[in-house]
Amino acid sequence: MSSATSHLSAEARASLPQHVAVIMDGNGRWAKQRGLPRIEGHRQGAESARVIIRTAGELGIKYLTLYAFSAENWNRPKDEVDALMKYLIHYLKTETPELNKSNVRLEVIGQIYRLPENVQEHLRKSIATLSKNNGLTLVMALSYGSRIEIVDAVRRISEEVKRGKLDPADITEQVISDHLWTRNIPDPDLLIRTSGEMRVSNFLLWQISYAELVITPTLWPDF
């Protein structure tokens, strides 16, 4: 039994969520409090992500979705966005071998085409390398926005109706779920947001309808 589960009772292990989603907020404030550039907050935030991914895998949680970069984040200063993209590549290069050892599978949701081509290339390589693993599924939300996701689903459903492949009367909640970017991923049981902000920030709006919500004042790098 792993170190993370060894202290848990059978009842506690049985009650663990299948899917945990996390809004990783507070990197910038963490850096500002310490007189550091924002990118240092993101770097430390990546260290927190590493610990959370490892612990989730040890606990036996099946899905962990991390809100790594929102569609709105493209509006941040260019130098900060560029630094984040470089750090994402660095993370994929350095962490993919460790994720592979830990039997972690990787999926990505969002407008991936908006990411720089070199980032897309490294994502494809990491996804392929980890594709045969069957432990924790790490879902990275990159260039992600839930409203955009829902609009995309509506457009594709409309195309099927237009082509006569789908009757409007047959559009159900399941049909909509099947057209979302998360169609192969179960809905989250638990949503965690760090930094104390009481909002969901356009994250998995459809999918978290029945999720338990935990808001903690702890900034993400300290979580």
Side-chain angles (χ1 to χ4, degrees):
M1 187 178 297
S2 70
S3 59
T5 57
S6 58
H7 67 288
L8 295 177
S9 67
E11 182 181 4
R13 287 196 298 274
S15 66
L16 286 169
Q18 179 185 25
H19 182 179
V20 178
V22 186
I23 300 174
M24 306 180 293
D25 195 22
N27 291 344
R29 271 167 284 177
W30 184 92
K32 185 177 180 180
Q33 288 175 1
R34 290 159 177 76
L36 299 170
R38 286 178 62 88
I39 195 62
E40 281 303 305
H42 296 307
R43 187 187 66 79
Q44 190 61 40
E47 293 300 315
S48 289
R50 181 179 291 115
V51 173
I52 296 303
I53 293 165
R54 182 178 69 244
T55 304
E58 291 176 350
L59 285 169
I61 291 169
K62 298 304 294 180
Y63 293 86
L64 175 67
T65 299
L66 300 180
Y67 202 5
F69 190 85
S70 74
E72 291 77 17
N73 285 159
W74 291 115
N75 296 322
R76 292 187 176 186
K78 185 178 184 300
D79 58 344
E80 182 180 351
V81 172
D82 290 345
L84 284 168
M85 292 298 114
K86 288 178 182 177
Y87 200 79
L88 177 56
I89 291 174
H90 172 75
Y91 182 86
L92 291 168
K93 283 182 176 178
T94 58
E95 289 304 306
T96 296
E98 291 302 314
L99 294 173
N100 203 23
K101 287 180 185 176
S102 300
N103 196 28
V104 174
R105 190 166 63 94
L106 177 63
E107 292 195 20
V108 182
I109 57 173
Q111 294 180 309
I112 309 307
Y113 66 88
R114 295 185 68 183
L115 298 170
E117 182 54 44
N118 56 347
V119 173
Q120 295 183 49
E121 180 182 352
H122 283 285
L123 282 169
R124 286 191 292 267
K125 287 180 180 178
S126 294
I127 290 169
T129 299
L130 305 173
S131 63
K132 294 179 180 171
N133 294 335
N134 59 6
L136 171 71
T137 295
L138 171 62
V139 184
M140 295 181 67
L142 292 166
S143 189
Y144 176 86
S146 188
R147 287 184 173 184
I148 296 170
E149 177 186 26
I150 293 169
V151 168
D152 179 73
V154 170
R155 285 175 176 161
R156 289 190 291 114
I157 291 170
S158 298
E159 282 296 322
E160 292 184 18
V161 171
K162 184 179 178 180
R163 295 198 303 269
K165 293 180 63 178
L166 180 65
D167 190 310
D170 294 330
I171 297 173
T172 62
E173 290 184 14
Q174 188 60 54
V175 168
I176 294 173
S177 293
D178 289 344
H179 286 77
L180 296 173
W181 297 333
T182 55
R183 53 189 162 273
N184 298 317
I185 302 166
D187 289 344
D189 309 290
L190 173 65
L191 172 68
I192 299 170
R193 182 177 186 133
T194 58
S195 88
E197 299 290 342
M198 300 292 288
R199 60 179 187 270
V200 294
S201 296
N202 197 21
F203 184 50
L204 301 176
L205 299 179
W206 177 276
Q207 297 88 338
I208 62 170
S209 296
Y210 294 99
E212 299 286 341
L213 307 181
V214 173
I215 311 294
T216 172
T218 304
L219 302 178
W220 176 249
D222 293 327
F223 184 72

